Amino acid sequence: MIEHLVWLLVAALMIGLAKGGLSSMGSLAVPLLAIFMNPITAAALLLPVFLVTDWFAVWLYRRDYSRRNVAILVPSIFAGIAVATVIVPFAPESLLLILTGGVGMWYCLRSWFGPAGKAPPREADLGHGVFWGVITGITTFITHSGAPPAQAYLLPQRLPRLVFVGTMAITFAISNVAKLSGYHALGLFVDMPWNIVILLATIGVAGTAVGRWIVRHLTEQTFVRVVEVLLLILSIVLFGKAFVLIAQA
């Protein structure tokens, strides 16, 4: 694992930037490491980094979030995590990656070329929130790629950028804690290299501060475009990884 330390540090920095506000970037971390290691192993290795940076992000955005959206998303994500815990041993990872990437690509194409960009802001409604929350729970458990479905629910509301970032930060801080029992039950923390994890968490915290600075200096329109572009890149990466797995099968 030490031979891949540079890439591990890059992944940790991505997570930190994501928690600081560039939401989709953190979801690139597991696909990046999956080039060099088993994706489930990569997800387990990075979960402590997510947990540390999550709560640093919560402190940064503790006054900027949508209470209603958090109240809708968190229980729904818990349900998705419960489903994922059961299906992980049986569901092909390639299928989950395709579904996750498909959500992100669908939103970007709809936003750029469809009626979504011209539609009025959507309310934080229970139906959409529960649906996307469950999908978020499943995908975030498998590959820490919960950003695309969560953004598919939140972006149409056109929340102020700090409120959007804070809602994502608080929602995923709570849901990532919920993953611990499932990961432990699957034996994913056995032989964890904690010295490397501590280093990665430190880099992640530094990245969170940098991400916060970037978000504060972006205009509202630029911020939305940056998130959407990162979301599209993530979706393409997930599709690519899925096709590689299919080809290797």
Side-chain angles (χ1 to χ4, degrees):
M1 189 172 295
I2 193 68
E3 66 271 19
H4 303 311
L5 183 59
V6 171
W7 294 110
L8 288 168
L9 294 174
V10 171
L13 180 61
M14 286 179 170
I15 293 169
L17 291 172
K19 298 305 177 182
L22 301 176
S23 305
S24 295
M25 188 168 288
S27 298
L28 291 166
V30 171
L32 172 66
L33 294 184
I35 299 172
F36 311 102
M37 64 180 67
N38 181 283
I40 299 299
T41 301
L45 181 64
L46 292 177
L47 180 56
V49 182
F50 275 96
L51 291 171
V52 172
T53 54
D54 274 336
W55 293 103
F56 188 70
V58 167
W59 182 79
L60 287 176
Y61 293 101
R62 62 193 180 279
R63 297 186 181 89
D64 303 299
Y65 67 97
S66 166
R67 288 176 174 81
R68 176 168 173 78
N69 277 311
V70 171
I72 291 172
L73 283 172
V74 168
S76 307
I77 290 173
F78 284 175
I81 289 173
V83 172
T85 303
V86 175
I87 68 174
V88 159
F90 309 105
E93 185 196 354
S94 57
L95 174 61
L96 295 167
L97 290 171
I98 288 172
L99 291 175
T100 304
V103 168
M105 190 167 291
W106 166 82
Y107 177 81
C108 290
L109 294 177
R110 185 169 181 264
S111 175
W112 295 345
F113 304 111
K118 303 173 184 177
R122 180 186 293 166
E123 295 295 325
D125 64 287
L126 188 62
H128 285 93
V130 170
F131 173 78
W132 289 118
V134 171
I135 301 299
T136 297
I138 294 172
T139 55
T140 194
F141 186 89
I142 303 296
T143 58
H144 298 313
S145 299
Q151 289 170 356
Y153 169 64
L154 290 173
L155 284 175
Q157 298 178 33
R158 299 183 193 171
L159 300 169
R161 64 183 183 277
L162 294 183
V163 174
F164 170 83
V165 173
T167 301
M168 291 283 286
I170 291 172
T171 297
F172 281 101
I174 298 171
S175 61
N176 281 335
V177 171
K179 297 179 193 177
L180 286 170
S181 59
Y183 275 48
H184 182 266
L186 294 171
L188 297 177
F189 292 135
V190 176
D191 299 325
M192 180 70 70
W194 292 108
N195 56 332
I196 293 179
V197 169
I198 292 172
L199 174 61
L200 297 180
T202 303
I203 297 299
V205 169
T208 303
V210 174
R212 168 78 168 187
W213 183 87
I214 292 173
V215 168
R216 281 193 171 276
H217 289 78
L218 292 177
T219 65
E220 202 79 40
Q221 184 177 9
T222 302
F223 172 77
V224 172
R225 285 302 177 211
V226 167
V227 172
E228 289 176 344
V229 169
L230 289 174
L231 184 57
L232 181 62
I233 293 171
L234 166 63
S235 301
I236 293 171
V237 170
L238 293 177
F239 270 115
K241 176 59 181 176
F243 293 141
V244 169
L245 291 175
I246 292 172
Q248 292 174 345

